[in-house]
Amino acid sequence: MENKIFIKNYGCSANIADGEVITGCLEQAGYTLTTSETEANLIIFNTCAVKGPTENRIIAEIKQVPKHKKIVIAGCLPTINFDRLSREVHFNGAIGPAIGDKIVNIIERVLAGQKVTELGTGKEKPNLNLPKQRTNPIISIVPINYGCLGSCSYCCVKHARGHLRSYSEKEIVDRVQEDFDTGVREFWITSQDTASYGRDLQINLANLLGALDKITGDFKIRVGMMTPNLVMDIQESLIAAFGSDKIFKFVHLPVQSGDNTVLKNMNRFYTIQEFKEIVEIFRGEFPDLTLATDVIVGFPGETKQAFQNTMDLLKTIKPDVVNVSKFFARPKTAALDIKEGIVDKEEIKQRSSVMSELTKKLSSERNKRWIGWTGKILVDEKGKVSNSWMGRNFAYKPIIVNSEKNLLGKIVTVEVSETFGTYLKGEAIKEQK
């Protein structure tokens, strides 16, 4: 019987990129991949474990797999909570993140009847030129480094992905050039923290963006999450690099809390004032910038006043996008050992609800500024309803347009006619190419 493999990806863009490489390497090795979980006899779960609810959902899904199918659990979860996996689910292989082309040998051994456990060393960095099967033909996700320089007390990803190890500028430029030559028009440069990029190689993110800007061609770059304290010492050169037409005016700058005491307890090495200054400088240079941030609600020691400070900060800076997370103590983190100032679960739920309502309001208000805007978008996604397409403008704002034509990868001139909480709607005026 022919072996058919189904791959299920979860989590951040870096993990999705790992999944694309797993797919590409297995296809090149001659394995048959299927989009049907039912007809597969081997399932690879490429997991995320950054949050407790995510871990619970993945484990619940693994438990649903019929016993006769082989299961390989990859990604961050095996490294972060192998003990729980061993107790609760059946699996034939457990491997860490950034496995690269080693996946071929692991699958070969699993199919031969072995039980394989290779959780990695936290030092893996697969070749950037490995084959990959892109989730979206227009978008290439390019990891620029693995690991980070942080020691955030709530974060278990550091344990899974390790200390900073960056790719060289040449490796990244070559990958972007190759993907552009095969039809990619949008690049997501990604990592656990793009602002830490290159500091192990005596270069930095601004240097990399300058090198990518020199590639000839019409394409866009989305810069991934940047930790605020590592933006500060390169901000001037970073602002200059962001001036390139190739780079979306989109900044993902996670604040996590609007209270300095909580930030200190989180091991976040910046103050609220410093965070505000970064935002002010970016917006001073790029007034239509899309600002995304992350907030954790209910971290131990978050008093009602500290929570209010975060609410006040959001009202002041008015981000376009806020990812609100409830605090869950994760395995192998310093926060797991905090015994004082624990916030009641019901209180966390209530605070999360209040903050989510505020962020929806802020997003809607920010989006209204775009009514009547006319300009070009790169269509990078099929819409959720028939004949709808989603594109991004220079500020990475999602704009829905309707067309019976296939617009994927096209540049279309649109006029924004309506705004919603998380996206804009536009009328197509002209299709360029």
PDB file of all heavy atoms in Angstrom, residues 50 74 157 159 234 244 247 266 271 294 326 358-359 413:
ATOM      1  N   VAL A  50       2.964  28.025  22.282  1.00  0.00           N
ATOM      2  CA  VAL A  50       3.193  29.306  22.950  1.00  0.00           C
ATOM      3  C   VAL A  50       2.133  29.579  24.017  1.00  0.00           C
ATOM      4  O   VAL A  50       2.407  30.221  25.026  1.00  0.00           O
ATOM      5  CB  VAL A  50       3.284  30.456  21.917  1.00  0.00           C
ATOM      6  CG1 VAL A  50       1.959  30.713  21.232  1.00  0.00           C
ATOM      7  CG2 VAL A  50       3.801  31.732  22.564  1.00  0.00           C
ATOM      8  N   ALA A  74       5.861  17.291  15.457  1.00  0.00           N
ATOM      9  CA  ALA A  74       7.023  18.147  15.215  1.00  0.00           C
ATOM     10  C   ALA A  74       6.772  19.532  15.799  1.00  0.00           C
ATOM     11  O   ALA A  74       5.694  19.828  16.322  1.00  0.00           O
ATOM     12  CB  ALA A  74       7.277  18.239  13.708  1.00  0.00           C
ATOM     13  N   VAL A 157       8.964  29.646  24.177  1.00  0.00           N
ATOM     14  CA  VAL A 157       9.497  29.442  22.825  1.00  0.00           C
ATOM     15  C   VAL A 157      11.020  29.489  22.836  1.00  0.00           C
ATOM     16  O   VAL A 157      11.682  28.788  22.075  1.00  0.00           O
ATOM     17  CB  VAL A 157       8.907  30.471  21.837  1.00  0.00           C
ATOM     18  CG1 VAL A 157       9.513  30.317  20.452  1.00  0.00           C
ATOM     19  CG2 VAL A 157       7.394  30.312  21.771  1.00  0.00           C
ATOM     20  N   HIS A 159      12.929  28.252  24.969  1.00  0.00           N
ATOM     21  CA  HIS A 159      13.409  26.910  25.293  1.00  0.00           C
ATOM     22  C   HIS A 159      13.350  26.006  24.053  1.00  0.00           C
ATOM     23  O   HIS A 159      14.227  25.162  23.848  1.00  0.00           O
ATOM     24  CB  HIS A 159      12.572  26.294  26.417  1.00  0.00           C
ATOM     25  CG  HIS A 159      13.040  24.936  26.814  1.00  0.00           C
ATOM     26  ND1 HIS A 159      14.085  24.737  27.690  1.00  0.00           N
ATOM     27  CD2 HIS A 159      12.639  23.699  26.421  1.00  0.00           C
ATOM     28  CE1 HIS A 159      14.299  23.434  27.822  1.00  0.00           C
ATOM     29  NE2 HIS A 159      13.425  22.787  27.072  1.00  0.00           N
ATOM     30  N   ILE A 234      19.099  50.704  16.768  1.00  0.00           N
ATOM     31  CA  ILE A 234      19.243  50.734  15.307  1.00  0.00           C
ATOM     32  C   ILE A 234      18.123  51.546  14.645  1.00  0.00           C
ATOM     33  O   ILE A 234      17.940  51.492  13.429  1.00  0.00           O
ATOM     34  CB  ILE A 234      19.279  49.307  14.697  1.00  0.00           C
ATOM     35  CG1 ILE A 234      17.983  48.529  15.018  1.00  0.00           C
ATOM     36  CG2 ILE A 234      20.502  48.546  15.158  1.00  0.00           C
ATOM     37  CD1 ILE A 234      17.841  47.216  14.246  1.00  0.00           C
ATOM     38  N   SER A 244      12.256  52.417   1.866  1.00  0.00           N
ATOM     39  CA  SER A 244      12.197  51.732   0.569  1.00  0.00           C
ATOM     40  C   SER A 244      10.757  51.454   0.166  1.00  0.00           C
ATOM     41  O   SER A 244       9.935  51.037   0.990  1.00  0.00           O
ATOM     42  CB  SER A 244      12.972  50.413   0.648  1.00  0.00           C
ATOM     43  OG  SER A 244      12.640  49.573  -0.444  1.00  0.00           O
ATOM     44  N   ILE A 247       9.257  47.956   1.036  1.00  0.00           N
ATOM     45  CA  ILE A 247       8.913  47.524   2.389  1.00  0.00           C
ATOM     46  C   ILE A 247       7.557  48.076   2.809  1.00  0.00           C
ATOM     47  O   ILE A 247       7.320  49.291   2.756  1.00  0.00           O
ATOM     48  CB  ILE A 247      10.002  47.938   3.388  1.00  0.00           C
ATOM     49  CG1 ILE A 247      11.300  47.202   3.032  1.00  0.00           C
ATOM     50  CG2 ILE A 247       9.587  47.626   4.823  1.00  0.00           C
ATOM     51  CD1 ILE A 247      12.485  47.592   3.852  1.00  0.00           C
ATOM     52  N   MET A 266       8.285  40.824  33.681  1.00  0.00           N
ATOM     53  CA  MET A 266       8.253  40.011  32.459  1.00  0.00           C
ATOM     54  C   MET A 266       9.647  39.845  31.840  1.00  0.00           C
ATOM     55  O   MET A 266       9.803  39.113  30.861  1.00  0.00           O
ATOM     56  CB  MET A 266       7.342  40.665  31.414  1.00  0.00           C
ATOM     57  CG  MET A 266       5.854  40.564  31.684  1.00  0.00           C
ATOM     58  SD  MET A 266       4.951  41.452  30.362  1.00  0.00           S
ATOM     59  CE  MET A 266       3.283  40.843  30.627  1.00  0.00           C
ATOM     60  N   THR A 271      11.074  50.620  28.767  1.00  0.00           N
ATOM     61  CA  THR A 271      10.005  51.254  29.543  1.00  0.00           C
ATOM     62  C   THR A 271       8.879  51.667  28.608  1.00  0.00           C
ATOM     63  O   THR A 271       9.054  51.693  27.381  1.00  0.00           O
ATOM     64  CB  THR A 271      10.523  52.505  30.268  1.00  0.00           C
ATOM     65  OG1 THR A 271      10.904  53.481  29.274  1.00  0.00           O
ATOM     66  CG2 THR A 271      11.716  52.192  31.160  1.00  0.00           C
ATOM     67  N   ASP A 294       1.176  43.429  20.739  1.00  0.00           N
ATOM     68  CA  ASP A 294       0.661  42.294  21.501  1.00  0.00           C
ATOM     69  C   ASP A 294       0.556  42.705  22.962  1.00  0.00           C
ATOM     70  O   ASP A 294       1.403  43.454  23.468  1.00  0.00           O
ATOM     71  CB  ASP A 294       1.605  41.088  21.414  1.00  0.00           C
ATOM     72  CG  ASP A 294       1.847  40.616  19.989  1.00  0.00           C
ATOM     73  OD1 ASP A 294       1.138  41.074  19.083  1.00  0.00           O
ATOM     74  OD2 ASP A 294       2.753  39.786  19.794  1.00  0.00           O
ATOM     75  N   LYS A 326      -4.563  35.987  27.066  1.00  0.00           N
ATOM     76  CA  LYS A 326      -4.696  35.771  28.511  1.00  0.00           C
ATOM     77  C   LYS A 326      -3.423  35.066  28.991  1.00  0.00           C
ATOM     78  O   LYS A 326      -2.903  34.180  28.298  1.00  0.00           O
ATOM     79  CB  LYS A 326      -5.906  34.893  28.825  1.00  0.00           C
ATOM     80  CG  LYS A 326      -7.249  35.431  28.339  1.00  0.00           C
ATOM     81  CD  LYS A 326      -8.364  34.483  28.816  1.00  0.00           C
ATOM     82  CE  LYS A 326      -9.677  34.733  28.096  1.00  0.00           C
ATOM     83  NZ  LYS A 326      -9.721  34.135  26.750  1.00  0.00           N
ATOM     84  N   LEU A 358     -12.092  47.212  23.570  1.00  0.00           N
ATOM     85  CA  LEU A 358     -11.370  48.455  23.280  1.00  0.00           C
ATOM     86  C   LEU A 358     -10.582  48.338  21.977  1.00  0.00           C
ATOM     87  O   LEU A 358     -10.618  49.251  21.143  1.00  0.00           O
ATOM     88  CB  LEU A 358     -10.414  48.789  24.435  1.00  0.00           C
ATOM     89  CG  LEU A 358      -9.452  49.968  24.164  1.00  0.00           C
ATOM     90  CD1 LEU A 358     -10.226  51.278  23.999  1.00  0.00           C
ATOM     91  CD2 LEU A 358      -8.410  50.085  25.271  1.00  0.00           C
ATOM     92  N   THR A 359      -9.893  47.220  21.788  1.00  0.00           N
ATOM     93  CA  THR A 359      -9.055  47.083  20.598  1.00  0.00           C
ATOM     94  C   THR A 359      -9.888  47.048  19.316  1.00  0.00           C
ATOM     95  O   THR A 359      -9.477  47.581  18.288  1.00  0.00           O
ATOM     96  CB  THR A 359      -8.156  45.833  20.692  1.00  0.00           C
ATOM     97  OG1 THR A 359      -8.967  44.665  20.786  1.00  0.00           O
ATOM     98  CG2 THR A 359      -7.245  45.917  21.892  1.00  0.00           C
ATOM     99  N   THR A 413      -5.366  48.977  -8.930  1.00  0.00           N
ATOM    100  CA  THR A 413      -5.657  50.284  -8.344  1.00  0.00           C
ATOM    101  C   THR A 413      -7.090  50.259  -7.822  1.00  0.00           C
ATOM    102  O   THR A 413      -8.012  49.884  -8.547  1.00  0.00           O
ATOM    103  CB  THR A 413      -5.495  51.412  -9.377  1.00  0.00           C
ATOM    104  OG1 THR A 413      -4.141  51.395  -9.851  1.00  0.00           O
ATOM    105  CG2 THR A 413      -5.773  52.770  -8.760  1.00  0.00           C
TER     106      THR A 413
END
